[in-house]
Structure formats: C-alpha cells, structure tokens
Amino acid sequence: MEIFLDTAELEEIKFASSLGVIDGVTTNPSLIKKAVERRRGEISMVDYIKEILKLVPGPVSLEVISVKAEDMISEAKKLYKLFSPYGEVVIKIPICPSTDGESNVYDGLGAIRELKEAGIPTNVTLVMTPEQALLAAKAGADYVSPFAGRIDDYIRDQLGMKMDADYGKADYFDFELMRKLADEQLRRIIESRGDFSLRGAYIDEEIRDAANAGHDNGIYSGVDLVKKILAIYRNYKYSTKVIAASMRNARQVREMAELGVDIVTIPFYVLKEMLLHYKTIEGMRFFIADVVPQYKRIFEE
Ligand code: E4P
C-alpha cells in the first residue's frame, strides 16, 4: 500500500519524505489556505508548490478551482505545464462540481474524459458514493479519492451527533457498534407493534426510519465506502487506483490496508499515531532502565 501525505505544509512533507515512508502528496484548496495563512500570506504560491514537488518522490495532487468543464480543463493544463518539470503532477477534479445540485453536474466527467485524452493524469475528488467512483473510472480517472472521514461525519450527523460535542474529528467511528444499536432499535420498534404483518411493517414510517438510521443509502462507514468501490473495480477490472482520503486516525488506515486499498492519504498527525502504542513506550522505558554499564561501555569505547 502506498502512503500519501494529505497536506500542503512544506515542513511536514520535508520531514515525512526524509523518513522514506511517503510515496506522494495530496493537496486541496483548504490545505493550501491553511499553509498560506500560517505564513500570513507571505508566500509565493508558484515557488512553494515547486518546492513541494521537488521533495516528493511520487505524485502530487493539485486541485482546479472552477466548476465548468472548459475552465477546469484549462486550469489543469496550466497547472500541469507549470509544475510538471519539477515533479509528478496529478490534477484533482471534483466528481460533481455542482454547488446547487442542478448546474455543472456533468462537468467533472467531461473534464476527466478530456484530460485523459490530453494525457494529463487525474485524481477525482469529493467521491462519496461507489456510483460516483464507477462513473469516474469509466470516464478515465487515474485515481479516485473517496472521502472516508466525511462519510463517517455524515452518518453521525444524520443521527443527530455533533462534532466536538459528541465526537472528535479524529475519533474512530465504530460502525459495528452502530449497526448493533440500529438493529436493536429496529427490533424494539417491531416488537412494540401488536398487530404485525409484513406489508404493514414494511410501509410503517417509524420502522423505515429506524432501518435507514446509521448508514448512508447502504454505506455503513467510510471504510465500507472504500470496500464497495474496490469490489466494483475488481469486478470489472478497472485500472483506476483508489486513494482512501479524508482519513482521521490510525485504525482507519489499518482497515483500509486490510481491504487492500491502493493508497491512503493521511494528515501528518496520523503518521505519528501509527507509531505510538502504550506498551511500546513502556517497553522502551524498561529497556533503557535495564542497560548495564558493561553493555553501555561498548558504545563509549
Ligand atoms: C484529500 O484528498 C482530501 O482533500 C482530504 O483528505 C479531505 O480531508 P478532510 O475531510 O479531513 O478535510
């Protein structure tokens, strides 16, 4: 599995690349905004991106900012021409750049198709369903980025859970527990119906609401979203690579690796979390405390 760093912070990229565990980088306008704000705007964007590209031993995703296919295509060509001499540029295209559900619905697919023909690699972003991933692959995407963490957020939001109040952004979403709770709720509602018939139960609104709780149209978590995309791609032998994105914690990384996802893109703090374990730290303390002078002297002579 390849590991990309999901950041536009030069220092993080420099450090992680020096450790030899990073195969690429993904950026987006929000990550670039953070990097610019941290430097109080005193940053030449072009030079900064060139620096990132020079440091990374693999693909660096840069996102377009328009919503119309023709504009996204011309931005993609500009980014590709400007930065390709410095590294491996991949262009991020939103799967559906609509902001109202009506306009620009098909522009993402149009841009992916044309960029494929122009030989410019794409990473299709903001993927929230396997259906979107299927269309992206058919249009010729090189990579798709399903947003695992945001799907987990969405499922929790639908249940009335609020980020920060009920759960932290980096918390693992225990969808197996959620499934058990949802099944139990459904069982109790069905039990409360004295007069049970299959037809009556199937059209009962309270029962239907309970059956629809804890998942997004059959997607039970961000990990489940990636699992379903991988199954579809394997069924039809699509060569589009899957980047598990919007990753929030180390356990998600493990579950993505168990699925056999091609790539995970992680924030810097997840890299640290992947290394830490209480017993490893405790074990280090014991080893250091047990060093005898005779053994220490080997290194001093
Ligand atoms: C990566 O390609 C995405 O832009 C990123 O993972 C989004 O992560 P977030 O949901 O934590 O903002």
Side-chain angles (χ1 to χ4, degrees):
M1 183 179 73
E2 290 189 308
I3 299 180
F4 289 3
L5 210 56
D6 196 22
T7 185
E9 284 299 338
L10 206 53
E11 294 311 315
E12 292 179 354
I13 295 168
K14 206 177 281 176
F15 181 67
S17 300
S18 76
L19 300 176
V21 293
I22 293 304
D23 305 289
V25 159
T26 50
T27 69
N28 63 36
S30 311
L31 294 171
I32 299 262
K33 182 177 177 233
K34 259 197 228 163
V36 170
E37 280 173 357
R38 225 168 64 81
R39 286 162 188 76
R40 296 193 185 83
E42 294 151 10
I43 177 176
S44 149
M45 212 62 248
V46 170
D47 290 345
Y48 192 80
I49 293 172
K50 282 179 189 171
E51 280 306 302
I52 293 179
L53 280 153
K54 282 188 225 160
L55 283 171
V56 180
V60 174
S61 291
L62 301 171
E63 192 156 340
V64 295
I65 55 173
S66 288
V67 295
K68 279 191 188 162
E70 60 195 86
D71 297 336
M72 289 192 283
I73 292 161
S74 91
E75 287 167 5
K77 287 182 175 169
K78 182 154 197 179
L79 286 172
Y80 196 70
K81 192 169 169 210
L82 192 57
F83 295 116
S84 277
Y86 303 92
E88 197 183 326
V89 176
V90 172
I91 305 297
K92 258 184 161 179
I93 303 284
I95 180 64
C96 178
S98 180
T99 54
D100 58 10
E102 289 302 330
S103 48
N104 309 112
V105 170
Y106 303 99
D107 287 64
L109 290 179
I112 298 161
R113 162 58 62 198
E114 197 148 330
L115 292 170
K116 181 79 186 165
E117 275 161 21
I120 297 179
T122 53
N123 171 3
V124 177
T125 191
L126 283 169
V127 169
M128 307 292 172
T129 70
E131 299 87 303
Q132 292 174 331
L134 174 60
L135 291 175
K138 285 190 75 74
D142 294 274
Y143 302 90
V144 285
S145 291
F147 274 30
R150 291 200 199 178
I151 285 299
D152 288 352
D153 294 344
Y154 182 66
I155 293 169
R156 286 176 287 199
D157 284 355
Q158 295 298 103
L159 290 164
M161 294 166 71
K162 295 278 162 258
M163 193 188 281
D164 297 331
D166 298 320
Y167 67 93
K169 187 176 177 187
D171 289 353
Y172 175 74
F173 176 50
D174 190 344
F175 76 97
E176 281 185 17
L177 172 63
M178 184 52 70
R179 282 191 85 161
K180 284 182 194 145
L181 295 174
D183 285 349
E184 177 59 17
Q185 186 191 32
L186 187 59
R187 194 190 61 76
R188 286 186 190 191
I189 295 170
I190 292 171
E191 227 174 49
S192 73
R193 302 290 185 267
D195 185 20
F196 185 85
S197 76
L198 279 180
R199 182 190 166 276
Y202 194 81
I203 61 171
D204 183 312
E205 266 185 40
E206 205 187 347
I207 289 178
R208 293 200 75 95
D209 285 349
N212 286 329
H215 62 94
D216 176 30
N217 194 23
I219 302 296
Y220 288 85
S221 66
V223 173
D224 190 41
L225 167 64
V226 170
K227 184 179 175 184
K228 288 181 162 80
I229 293 172
L230 288 172
I232 291 169
Y233 282 9
R234 283 167 188 159
N235 280 346
Y236 301 104
K237 301 189 172 43
Y238 288 121
S239 59
T240 305
K241 286 190 175 174
V242 180
I243 306 178
S246 185
M247 299 288 290
R248 306 284 172 74
N249 53 63
R251 184 162 164 185
Q252 254 182 338
V253 176
R254 179 212 310 168
E255 292 186 4
M256 296 299 183
E258 283 175 346
L259 295 178
V261 76
D262 302 288
I263 302 154
V264 291
T265 186
I266 57 170
F268 187 74
Y269 75 86
V270 173
L271 190 64
K272 182 176 178 187
E273 202 185 297
M274 286 170 73
L275 283 167
L276 294 177
H277 187 275
Y278 173 77
K279 292 299 280 182
T280 308
I281 295 169
E282 181 195 68
M284 268 316 293
R285 286 202 198 107
F286 290 153
F287 286 156
I288 289 168
D290 284 346
V291 173
V292 291
Q294 296 89 322
Y295 190 68
K296 201 175 173 191
R297 271 201 292 278
I298 298 173
F299 308 99
E300 290 164 351
E301 279 157 12

